[in-house]
């Protein structure tokens, strides 16, 4: 072994020390801030702790295995590093300079095998350069002053040609898009976020990421046992104990009103609401309240919940609503004369797509109405993600496309980004896939007229009032 080569770099960032520490100690996020890193991942489950391991793949083609050896929260992380080229000890020190400023010092001591010692002696400046650019990247990531990405004309055009656009729904699209993403260093400690449909697929993955970012979560679920299992799993995965459950069948408006009443009665502000609960039904069925179930679950329920808890969103002065739609909505126009699919032969995929189209219209409407109240409202679609919902409702599609489906985390990524990132908070009323803006329509055929838009909103508003009255009457009688 040669003499150790030592790097010692410091930066000052405008972030509280706890936030800087939380971001850096999940070391797989190094891929966001070190330009020399191609990919990084956690090899161990759970929040960062002594013994946590990370695999860091470098753009130069070799990989590093990091292990946390010592961890002193908000002060210091000491890691050992093994690779085929060298071994190292890396220490990252944090010092609060004020409530909003933190000094971060990175000290790395590398040991090269004697065969590489000469190269190391000849090229120390290359190592210095890599260290400096990593610290510069970390500073930029933590300062988090990115602008939201504008709509790319090329991608909007590709969307209109079905094949060039649709491959983006697959895991390949996710991987292509992520190359241009900005770091997401948001810390959500103290923020209250509600996720509906958090017991499976996209919603559960979104809840996991938000819990890891420190959010205090309320999971809305219909099955108490499933919900408790998810709370336990989230705690094991993230160490976050601030996870509450609200039981609500989102296809029953009496349940949705009762949920809104409970949330309003606490007066607890809501920083973000993720309207995710959903399903695709093959048969036309009416709920016990006499509503067609796709319409009830996918459009009326999120409409009522969001409208009713709006005062709690507005009270934060900086809230987000994230509506999960579907690429399927590109095929449909809203049918204001048949919101509940009474006419003609029922097709579940059509009813689903129309309800999602309705959510897109509502997204645009809320965005423009609530702009001055500091509520950003956006819609996203997850692409095609491998979730229990897709497997059970579209078995043929699932079998055919399985190798191309994204993971639930990849599907949920944009919802998390819209709920959490500083850059996404600066934009409202748009449709997103993989942190990129996409057009809400691919064809003039699916565009509603201003009158149709108005009629949709009036019908939703009327159903909200009627179902509220009915649930109040029910409460009085029962
Ligand atoms: N996966 C995709 O490729 C894809 C594509 C486009 C859009 N989406 C949308 O993404 C969202 C999540 O879908 P997913 O694929 O993750 O499906 P999923 O795995 O089936 O998860 C759906 C979630 O919604 C909940 N839910 C369903 N009906 C409910 C009800 N009546 N009351 C309360 N909760 C209910 C489910 O609860 P249980 O666990 O109790 O069933 C589950 O937590 C949906 O809005 C879906 O339309 C998904």
């Amino acid at each position: 072994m040669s003499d150790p080569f030592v790097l010692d770099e410091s930066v000052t960032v405008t972030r509280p020390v706890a936030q800087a520490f939380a971001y850096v100690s999940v070391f797989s996020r190094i891929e966001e801030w070190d330009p020399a890193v191609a990919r990084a991942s956690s090899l161990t489950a759970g929040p960062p702790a002594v013994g946590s391991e990370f695999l860091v793949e470098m753009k130069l083609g070799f990989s590093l295995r990091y292990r946390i050896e010592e961890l002193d929260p908000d002060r210091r992380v000491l890691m050992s590093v093994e690779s085929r080229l060298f071994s190292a000890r890396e220490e990252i020190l944090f010092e609060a300079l004020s409530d909003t400023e933190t000094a971060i010092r990175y000290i790395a001591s590398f040991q090269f095998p004697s065969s590489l010692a000469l190269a190391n002696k000849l090229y120390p400046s290359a190592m210095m350069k890599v260290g400096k650019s990593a610290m510069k990247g970390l500073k930029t990531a933590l300062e988090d002053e990115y602008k939201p990405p504008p709509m790319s004309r090329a991608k909007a055009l590709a969307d209109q040609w079905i094949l060039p656009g649709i491959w983006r729904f697959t895991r390949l699209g996710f991987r292509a898009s992520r190359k241009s993403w900005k770091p997401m260093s948001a810390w959500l400690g103290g923020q209250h976020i509600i996720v509906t449909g958090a017991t499976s697929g996209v919603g559960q993955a979104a809840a996991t990421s938000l819990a890891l970012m420190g959010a205090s979560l309320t999971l809305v679920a219909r099955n108490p046992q499933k919900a408790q299992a998810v709370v336990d799993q989230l705690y094991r995965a993230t160490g976050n104990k601030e996870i509450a459950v609200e039981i609500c069948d989102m296809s029953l408006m009496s349940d949705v009103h009762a949920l809104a009443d409970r949330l309003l009665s606490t007066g607890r502000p809501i920083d973000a609401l993720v309207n995710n609960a959903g399903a695709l039904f093959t048969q036309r069925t009416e709920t016990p309240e006499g509503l067609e179930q796709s319409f009830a679950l996918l459009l009326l329920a999120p409409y009522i919940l969001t409208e009713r808890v709006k005062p709690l969103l507005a009270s934060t002065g900086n809230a987000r609503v994230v509506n999960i739609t579907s690429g399927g909505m590109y095929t449909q126009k809203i049918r204001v004369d048949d919101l509940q699919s009474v006419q003609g032969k029922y097709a579940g995929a059509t009813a689903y797509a129309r309800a999602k189209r309705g959510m897109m219209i509502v997204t645009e409407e809320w965005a423009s109405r609530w702009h001055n109240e500091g509520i950003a409202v956006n819609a996203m679609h997850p692409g095609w993600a491998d979730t229990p919902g897709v497997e059970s409702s579209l078995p043929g599609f699932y079998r055919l496309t399985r190798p191309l489906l994204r993971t639930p985390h990849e599907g949920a990524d944009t919802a998390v980004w819209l709920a959490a990132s500083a850059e996404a908070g600066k934009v409202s009323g748009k449709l997103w896939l993989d942190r990129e803006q996409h057009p809400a329509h691919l064809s003039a055929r699916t565009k509603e007229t201003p009158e149709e838009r108005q009629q949709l909103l009036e019908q939703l508003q009327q159903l909200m009032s009627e179902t509220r009255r009915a649930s109040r009457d029910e409460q009085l009688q029962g």
Side-chain angles (χ1 to χ4, degrees), residues 196-204 220-223 226 248-252 275-281 297-298 324-328 352 356 380-390 392 397 405 408:
T196 70
T199 45
S200 171
V202 170
Q204 185 174 351
V220 176
R222 59 179 163 176
N223 178 329
K226 237 174 149 178
C248 174
D249 182 334
M250 294 285 294
S251 67
L252 294 177
N275 285 315
N276 164 77
L280 193 156
F281 305 102
L297 174 63
L298 300 171
I324 314 292
T325 62
S326 159
Y352 172 91
K356 294 291 190 185
M380 60 79 68
H381 76 89
W384 293 333
D386 186 345
T387 63
V390 170
S392 65
F397 170 84
L405 297 181

Side-chain angles (χ1 to χ4, degrees), residues 158-169 384:
D159 284 346
Q160 310 215 321
W161 297 92
I162 304 300
L163 273 180
I166 218 160
W167 75 271
R168 293 212 160 258
F169 290 26
W384 293 333

Side-chain angles (χ1 to χ4, degrees), residues 2 22 39 76 122 200 223 267 274 339 419 477:
S2 63
R39 288 300 316 270
R76 174 175 175 266
L122 289 176
S200 171
N223 178 329
V274 182
L339 283 181
Q477 282 162 16

